[in-house]
Amino acid sequence: MVDLKGQYEHIKERVNRSVIEVIESTAFINGPEVHQFQKELEDYLGVKHVIPCANGTDALQVAMMGVGLKRGDEVITADFTFAATVEVIALLGLTPVLVDVDPMDFNIDVAAIERAITPKTKAIVPVHLFGLSAKMDEIMDLANKHDLYVIEDNAQGIGANYTSRNGSKKKTGSIGHVASTSFFPSKNLGCYGDGGAIFTNDDDLAHTIRGIVNHGMYERYHHDVVGVNSRLDSLQATILRAKLPMLDLYNIQRQDAARKYTEAFTGIEDIDTPYGNCSGESFICDTCDCHVFHQYTLKITNGKRDALVKHLQEKEIPCGVYYPIPLHSQKAYKDERYNEDDFEVTNQLVKEVISLPMHTELDDEQIDYITKTVIDFVTN
Ligand SMILES: *Cc1c(COP(=O)(O)O)cnc(C)c1O
């Protein structure tokens, strides 16, 4: 699904040199590389504060702790996402409220959020799924109206832009009250191990969160709140510093691959191509940077999805089903509160979606082979 080796070959010298420098410096934890990376990411995203941490799941958890969510508070998130999002809500003793998604762009359905709001609701967690921003204008409007926090799960969306109705363009993760991301190796900005970060423009919240990731300490050995231990280490930070200047190029390479996939699949019966941009069309324009294609996900609408997965495996073409089970049906998150009729879209998507190889090293020959194999199988 990804070609981390091929990507590494292009930045090998820089990465190897800086990794050795970190080892020689022995500043493994909280060293200058972490601080530099933090500054560089703040500049790139246009946010006031980046707080690095150990992984994207911690980032979400710490963001929720930071805004002061309490046991019993309800947190609304999408039924169709990676489990980390709902996991941390449950872990903190908050009440997850899963809602359906939009069949067109796979992102959280704003009308469903509105229906789910109760007096106990305290936060909304939109996920920029597969690299395309959730509908942030509408979500921020709802949040303002009901006095809710918006915590963006930006693990799949780093580098993507969101264009507001007033025309202003912002990076995903810089719009809500606080956001989280992951530097897991296969993410659009991945390190060579685990890593994550929290973003916010709120000075007080940033201060609170810096303490939480460091055992609740604001002054050495004074523990004011219950915190966690969640750090990005200097080796990962130095690798991320080598890769951050490449992120826009990496995302363009993904968009190029997506454009070629979509060209090949357009007009083919029973294959639905994904949205290419946030205006809700399939084309990916030359300057479009609102979809960074963490995944390129098709819908196979003639019931052949599972057979296609098998067929591609036989042809040694990697593919993935993200996600095969709606979160509300997972053993850990099942709840009597949920009604199947409220999850019509996720229940259908889990049967139809298939994600194709998507990374920075895809060449025309590979894309040609993949698209021909898919089309041959689905249409015969
Ligand atoms: C990857 C991912 C996470 C978790 O990130 P980790 O670094 O693996 O903990 C959270 N949310 C979403 C949507 C993800 O894709």
Side-chain angles (χ1 to χ4, degrees), residues 4-22:
L4 296 175
K5 186 73 197 283
Q7 192 187 59
Y8 166 64
E9 292 297 334
H10 299 294
I11 51 171
K12 189 171 179 167
E13 262 176 53
R14 159 94 204 251
V15 167
N16 290 6
R17 182 168 20 93
S18 42
V19 164
I20 287 173
E21 278 169 16
V22 169

Side-chain angles (χ1 to χ4, degrees), residues 54-60 80-88 126-130 153-157 180-187 193-197 294-295 323:
N55 57 66
T57 310
D58 276 7
L60 264 173
F80 190 62
T81 174
F82 182 55
T85 323
V86 67
E87 176 178 60
V88 299
V127 182
H128 305 302
L129 200 74
F130 303 153
D153 182 344
N154 199 29
Q156 301 188 3
S180 62
T181 201
S182 164
F183 304 122
F184 187 76
S186 64
K187 302 282 155 115
D194 273 310
H294 176 61
Q295 296 295 347
Y323 295 91

Side-chain angles (χ1 to χ4, degrees), residues 80-311:
F80 190 62
T81 174
F82 182 55
T85 323
V86 67
E87 176 178 60
V88 299
I89 299 173
L91 257 183
L92 290 172
L94 313 170
T95 305
V97 178
L98 296 166
V99 302
D100 213 355
V101 297
D102 182 327
M104 303 310 290
D105 67 2
F106 312 124
N107 273 319
I108 195 162
D109 179 345
V110 178
I113 300 177
E114 191 158 22
R115 285 195 296 273
I117 293 174
T118 75
K120 286 187 174 172
T121 307
K122 289 286 148 50
I124 306 169
V125 185
V127 182
H128 305 302
L129 200 74
F130 303 153
L132 178 65
S133 177
K135 296 166 197 72
M136 291 307 293
D137 279 342
E138 289 83 351
I139 291 170
M140 295 311 291
D141 286 350
L142 267 184
N144 290 333
K145 187 168 151 200
H146 297 273
D147 199 17
L148 309 174
Y149 288 108
V150 174
I151 302 166
E152 295 173 72
D153 182 344
N154 199 29
Q156 301 188 3
I158 198 156
N161 282 300
Y162 176 73
T163 307
S164 286
R165 56 171 89 89
N166 68 8
S168 78
K169 224 175 181 187
K170 280 185 177 171
K171 292 278 181 216
T172 56
S174 70
I175 305 159
H177 300 92
V178 57
S180 62
T181 201
S182 164
F183 304 122
F184 187 76
S186 64
K187 302 282 155 115
N188 290 35
L189 178 63
C191 58
Y192 294 168
D194 273 310
I198 303 131
F199 323 142
T200 184
N201 285 311
D202 180 328
D203 298 341
D204 293 336
L205 181 56
H207 174 75
T208 304
I209 288 174
R210 285 205 181 90
I212 292 174
V213 296
N214 188 25
H215 301 289
M217 262 197 299
Y218 296 91
E219 198 186 321
R220 211 165 163 74
Y221 298 120
H222 293 250
H223 303 273
D224 295 356
V225 296
V226 177
V228 297
N229 168 27
S230 191
R231 295 184 282 243
L232 180 74
D233 67 67
S234 305
L235 285 170
Q236 299 308 334
T238 208
I239 290 158
L240 288 164
R241 286 193 70 202
K243 290 182 77 175
L244 180 58
M246 310 292 288
L247 179 58
D248 284 343
L249 174 66
Y250 290 162
N251 284 339
I252 288 170
Q253 289 168 330
R254 286 171 177 273
Q255 288 160 358
D256 282 345
R259 189 179 293 114
K260 287 172 191 159
Y261 276 141
T262 292
E263 269 165 23
F265 292 127
T266 297
I268 307 289
E269 218 176 322
D270 305 318
I271 300 181
D272 279 4
T273 55
Y275 272 12
N277 57 56
C278 51
S279 50
E281 292 142 297
S282 62
F283 80 94
I284 304 148
C285 54
D286 284 339
T287 54
C288 184
D289 41 13
C290 48
H291 197 325
V292 293
F293 289 96
H294 176 61
Q295 296 295 347
Y296 184 88
T297 303
L298 295 172
K299 285 190 272 189
I300 306 298
T301 57
N302 62 355
K304 281 179 128 182
R305 196 276 313 270
D306 288 339
L308 175 63
V309 169
K310 245 197 212 130
H311 181 69

